[in-house]
Amino acid sequence: VEAAKILGIALAADVTSKGVITLDDFQSGDPDGAPTKVWEYAAWFEKHQPVVGGYYVRYEDGYTSFSPAQAFESGYTRIDEE
């Protein structure tokens, strides 16, 4: 499981479109360490109801979801890859 705290959410004006989520520490490959941005369809936002401060979670099979901060922080432990 990979996860990153959500720093920002911007939804498109057209609700049938996509929105962007700004994350604090997914590996973006940006040498300046800029936050990662991921795009999700409107249906994802409707299903998961993400909020800033919660976590964007990506599982090994590629499935993505949202977890509220308190639930995530009490249920997971950070493991740094070497």
Side-chain angles (χ1 to χ4, degrees):
V1 172
E2 291 181 292
K5 189 167 275 225
I6 297 173
L7 299 177
I9 296 173
L11 300 174
D14 175 1
V15 295
T16 63
S17 188
K18 294 182 176 182
V20 65
I21 303 169
T22 304
L23 305 170
D24 74 345
D25 66 0
F26 263 168
Q27 298 298 319
S28 67
D30 186 318
D32 297 325
T36 300
K37 294 184 187 271
V38 294
W39 292 88
E40 290 288 356
Y41 286 100
W44 187 93
F45 286 92
E46 187 175 322
K47 177 180 180 180
H48 297 287
Q49 300 291 309
V51 296
V52 171
Y55 287 83
Y56 180 83
V57 182
R58 184 169 51 209
Y59 296 90
E60 289 181 12
D61 64 0
Y63 179 79
T64 60
S65 67
F66 166 76
S67 180
Q70 184 176 5
F72 184 85
E73 291 166 0
S74 67
Y76 287 93
T77 302
R78 182 181 183 113
I79 298 174
D80 292 316
E81 292 186 38
E82 294 179 27

